[in-house]
Amino acid sequence: MDAEISPSSEEIFTSDSHAKDSLKKMRTLCLAQKLTDVTLVVSNIEITAHRLVLASASDYFHAMFTGELMEASMSRVHLEGTHPIAVKALVDFCYSGEISLSEDNVETILSTANILQIAEVVKACCTFLACRLHPSNCIGFSIFSESQGCMDLHQIAHTYVMDHFMEVILNQEYLSLSVDDVKKLLSSDMLNVPSEEKAFESLMLWVNYDLANRKDDLPSLLEMIRLPLLSPQYLTDHIENNPLLKENNHSRNLIMEAMKYHLLPERRSLLHSPRTRPRKSTVGSLFMIGGMDGGKGSWRIEKYDLRSNTWSNYGVMTSRRLQFGAAVIDDKLYVVGGRDGLKTLNIVECYDFKTKTWTAMPSMSTHRHGLGVGVLGGPMYAVGGHDGWTYLSAVERWDSTTRLWSYVAPLNTQRSTAGVAVLNDRLYAVGGRDGSACLRSVECFDPHRNKWTYCAPMSIRRGGAGVGVINNYLFALGGHDAPILNPGVSRFECVERYDPRTDTWTLVAPMRRGRDAIGVGILGDRLIAVGGYDGQSYLKIVEAYDPQNNEWEEIKELEDGRAGMCVVVVKGF
């Protein structure tokens, strides 16, 4: 007797080509006008199709054929406001999943696909246009995509306009813009111009293209230019005596505002307005050099760009160096002193941003680490520090013309890790350590008298504080008051502001994180605090201080924690 055969388990067969083959057959039927159940009428052109296919690919047709609209039962449907060739191409897409895009048809296809709500085609058209942005067409793409509600493409095109503005203004699209569109461009902080002078020149380029009809718009457009940030020479030569501007009271008031900004620098905080805030492209780039990163120390140089809010690797120093000073003179970076491991250095090196090369410079007379460096009236000063054996009061001055170092009057107090800054033609040494304790005291150097004078002390002792100058005030950031034998105490988040006119310190908004060994730089009207050490770890945090609103905000953090770095700002990048 044969053995009983048990039934096999259930199997499901799946055809990979079923959907594609079925649509292909439906398209053949459509072309032969068989089993079709709707005719689309576009500008007297008739396009036959199957409702089911159209409804499956288009949200517009799905709503039309499955809802309670009268078109649901009509055999002929009129489509208004569409282009017949585009509709035909999109109906073919519903069957084939393919559509041909070109520079000649893409805008028509996009606008029609938007109406018919075929999202895949809309996205494909936007990608096609985004890949073909050019200074000659980006304004048109931006305006068109906004009108179509394609906001992703609009943002991409608008960003392209901002980024390539100096090329865009050379094309017809810019010269043909409406006054409102020009205002939107020129009012933006993100406008990529090398200087505010170029922003003004782009305005005049647009006005002069049709002077008879546009000269009356000039006063309102002039508000979009940050006149106070133009150089005094440019204001005098190109603005003050411009006949188109002299004739209008509003324009004259704007020019007077700019003149006061330059003539009364001590009142600039009172003259604050949207026109005194620099555009992000004109403030330069912030460079972070070296510092301690949790290992043996870093020799990397990183660059921060305010427009993109990004950090990027820029280069390296010739060797690892800690507790050094740095400054920029004539667009060249000088790295001064410091220590390499246990050895305290007196060497000086210069980096040329144009040639991207390092050059050895004459060394200081004194070996120093923990020094402060500042540029005052041309010469560079190396202030205090530690020579490996003792805390220093000695100060040396570098003359870039003679390429020589010479001693000037010493500090009244030996200081290492003091904050050094320049304010109103004076050099300041803030806090630091004298060998026994951290210091509250502050000294000011007058180069004409070759003399250091004590200023009002800070409210607390600060070693390793960061310092920066903005709006004619000096700021002291963070620091610590750690005894030498107890370096693990907490770091300060508090910030003080010094007013040289009243010789007083005032507490302002604290940073969000207590730290010392902070790198400090000024980008436009913001004070930037980079990294630091909180007593336990090297920090990635970067904060920006707005002196007008007395507020800190976090910006793009560092890739790796860093402390004790030098920070400089260089324009022209």
Side-chain angles (χ1 to χ4, degrees):
M1 184 176 180
D2 294 338
E4 185 176 346
I5 300 175
S6 61
S8 61
S9 59
E10 181 181 355
E11 293 185 4
I12 297 176
F13 167 72
T14 301
S15 171
D16 294 334
S17 62
H18 174 73
K20 185 176 181 179
D21 290 344
S22 295
L23 278 171
K24 186 176 181 180
K25 291 178 181 178
M26 292 180 199
R27 189 183 186 204
T28 301
L29 291 170
C30 180
L31 292 173
Q33 296 189 11
K34 292 183 177 180
L35 302 180
T36 56
D37 53 3
V38 68
T39 299
L40 306 178
V41 182
V42 189
S43 300
N44 297 322
I45 302 296
E46 296 185 352
I47 304 167
T48 58
H50 301 91
R51 294 173 187 268
L52 181 62
V53 173
L54 298 183
S56 65
S58 161
D59 290 343
Y60 176 86
F61 286 124
H62 184 276
M64 175 183 288
F65 296 143
T66 62
E68 297 181 357
L69 298 175
M70 61 181 182
E71 286 87 353
S73 59
M74 294 172 58
S75 60
R76 294 171 60 82
V77 175
H78 290 262
L79 296 180
E80 304 296 336
T82 57
H83 194 282
I85 295 178
V87 173
K88 179 65 170 63
L90 288 166
V91 168
D92 287 343
F93 173 82
C94 293
Y95 286 92
S96 66
E98 297 178 356
I99 193 165
S100 177
L101 301 177
S102 68
E103 293 184 7
D104 293 331
N105 73 3
V106 65
E107 292 189 13
T108 304
I109 294 289
L110 173 56
S111 59
T112 306
N114 242 338
I115 294 171
L116 301 184
Q117 299 175 45
I118 305 177
E120 281 187 299
V121 176
V122 171
K123 183 177 180 180
C125 291
C126 289
T127 300
F128 182 93
L129 290 172
C131 292
R132 286 159 178 79
L133 284 169
H134 185 271
S136 64
N137 63 27
C138 55
I139 289 177
F141 282 6
S142 175
I143 295 172
F144 171 73
S145 57
E146 185 176 29
S147 70
Q148 295 298 313
C150 301
M151 301 316 295
D152 288 345
L153 176 59
H154 169 67
Q155 186 57 50
I156 292 171
H158 179 71
T159 300
Y160 188 97
V161 174
M162 294 285 105
D163 290 347
H164 299 83
F165 185 70
M166 295 308 298
E167 300 165 81
V168 169
I169 62 176
L170 303 178
N171 292 275
Q172 186 65 37
E173 281 191 347
Y174 171 74
L175 297 173
S176 301
L177 281 175
S178 69
V179 61
D180 289 337
D181 286 332
V182 174
K183 282 183 179 180
K184 290 179 183 177
L185 289 176
L186 296 181
S187 64
S188 174
D189 283 344
M190 296 298 292
L191 194 70
N192 190 16
V193 288
S195 65
E196 197 60 28
E197 286 81 358
K198 293 299 182 182
F200 173 75
E201 289 168 11
S202 69
L203 164 59
M204 296 309 299
L205 186 68
W206 180 87
V207 171
N208 287 324
Y209 181 75
D210 187 4
L211 184 59
N213 293 313
R214 294 178 175 177
K215 63 180 181 179
D216 290 340
D217 295 319
L218 184 54
S220 63
L221 286 167
L222 195 63
E223 289 186 38
M224 308 301 110
I225 305 299
R226 287 96 193 274
L227 292 182
L229 304 183
L230 299 174
S231 70
Q233 295 83 0
Y234 195 93
L235 279 170
T236 301
D237 296 342
H238 300 279
I239 308 293
E240 186 180 18
N241 295 316
N242 187 314
L244 293 175
L245 303 176
K246 290 173 65 176
E247 298 171 357
N248 182 271
N249 288 333
H250 185 59
S251 296
R252 287 200 300 269
N253 289 336
L254 293 172
I255 295 170
M256 183 58 65
E257 175 191 58
M259 292 296 187
K260 287 181 179 179
Y261 188 81
H262 289 285
L263 293 172
L264 303 170
E266 69 280 1
R267 299 185 187 178
R268 284 182 180 175
S269 59
L270 302 175
L271 298 172
H272 180 76
S273 75
R275 288 178 293 280
T276 61
R277 182 173 188 178
R279 299 181 200 273
K280 293 182 178 182
S281 64
T282 64
V283 300
S285 295
L286 185 146
F287 288 82
M288 177 181 67
I289 306 137
M292 182 58 88
D293 58 3
K296 295 181 179 179
S298 175
W299 51 7
R300 284 188 298 150
I301 300 174
E302 296 182 49
K303 180 169 74 77
Y304 174 74
D305 178 70
L306 184 62
R307 286 188 76 248
S308 60
N309 188 30
T310 57
W311 288 93
S312 59
N313 287 322
Y314 182 81
V316 293
M317 295 190 289
T318 58
S319 63
R320 287 186 177 90
R321 207 188 291 207
L322 303 173
Q323 293 185 299
F324 59 94
V328 172
I329 304 174
D330 297 329
D331 294 331
K332 294 180 181 179
L333 170 66
Y334 287 78
V335 173
V336 183
R339 61 182 177 89
D340 180 3
L342 298 177
K343 183 180 178 182
T344 298
L345 308 171
N346 67 341
I347 61 175
V348 180
E349 293 179 293
C350 175
Y351 180 78
D352 189 324
F353 286 99
K354 294 180 181 178
T355 62
K356 297 186 177 181
T357 55
W358 286 96
T359 304
M361 307 300 288
S363 298
M364 295 181 292
S365 300
T366 304
H367 293 69
R368 305 170 187 265
H369 68 262
L371 72 160
V373 170
V375 178
L376 175 59
M380 175 173 61
Y381 292 78
V383 180
H386 196 284
D387 65 3
W389 301 96
T390 186
Y391 290 81
L392 301 173
S393 60
V395 179
E396 294 183 67
R397 176 172 62 195
W398 161 259
D399 188 325
S400 60
T401 303
T402 62
R403 295 167 61 88
L404 295 174
W405 286 96
S406 59
Y407 285 106
V408 297
L411 293 159
N412 293 305
T413 301
Q414 296 173 334
R415 299 174 190 270
S416 180
T417 69
V420 171
V422 173
L423 171 61
N424 294 342
D425 299 322
R426 298 289 187 272
L427 187 69
Y428 287 81
V430 180
R433 183 191 291 280
D434 67 358
S436 60
C438 293
L439 302 169
R440 288 179 60 203
S441 63
V442 178
E443 298 184 54
C444 169
F445 178 71
D446 182 344
H448 303 293
R449 299 169 59 201
N450 189 30
K451 184 178 180 179
W452 288 90
T453 305
Y454 282 114
C455 305
M458 295 179 289
S459 65
I460 59 174
R461 301 174 185 271
R462 295 181 190 263
V467 295
V469 171
I470 190 168
N471 290 345
N472 292 303
Y473 294 106
L474 186 150
F475 291 81
L477 288 65
H480 65 87
D481 187 13
I484 293 176
L485 298 179
N486 183 20
V489 299
S490 63
R491 269 60 181 173
F492 306 135
E493 70 272 8
C494 61
V495 178
E496 291 183 74
R497 182 187 70 189
Y498 177 72
D499 185 344
R501 293 163 293 188
T502 59
D503 189 30
T504 56
W505 288 90
T506 305
L507 285 171
V508 297
M511 298 181 294
R512 301 188 179 190
R513 189 84 168 265
R515 46 199 163 126
D516 70 342
I518 308 165
V520 179
I522 307 299
L523 282 180
D525 60 350
R526 296 291 187 273
L527 188 150
I528 312 296
V530 182
Y533 183 69
D534 65 1
Q536 295 182 329
S537 58
Y538 298 97
L539 303 177
K540 300 179 181 181
I541 187 173
V542 183
E543 296 184 70
Y545 177 69
D546 178 353
Q548 292 299 323
N549 297 318
N550 191 29
E551 293 177 346
W552 289 90
E553 66 171 337
E554 292 188 23
I555 57 177
K556 181 66 175 180
E557 68 176 19
L558 305 174
E559 182 178 345
D560 301 304
R562 196 88 66 90
M565 72 293 283
C566 286
V567 169
V568 298
V569 174
V570 183
K571 294 193 175 183
F573 282 83

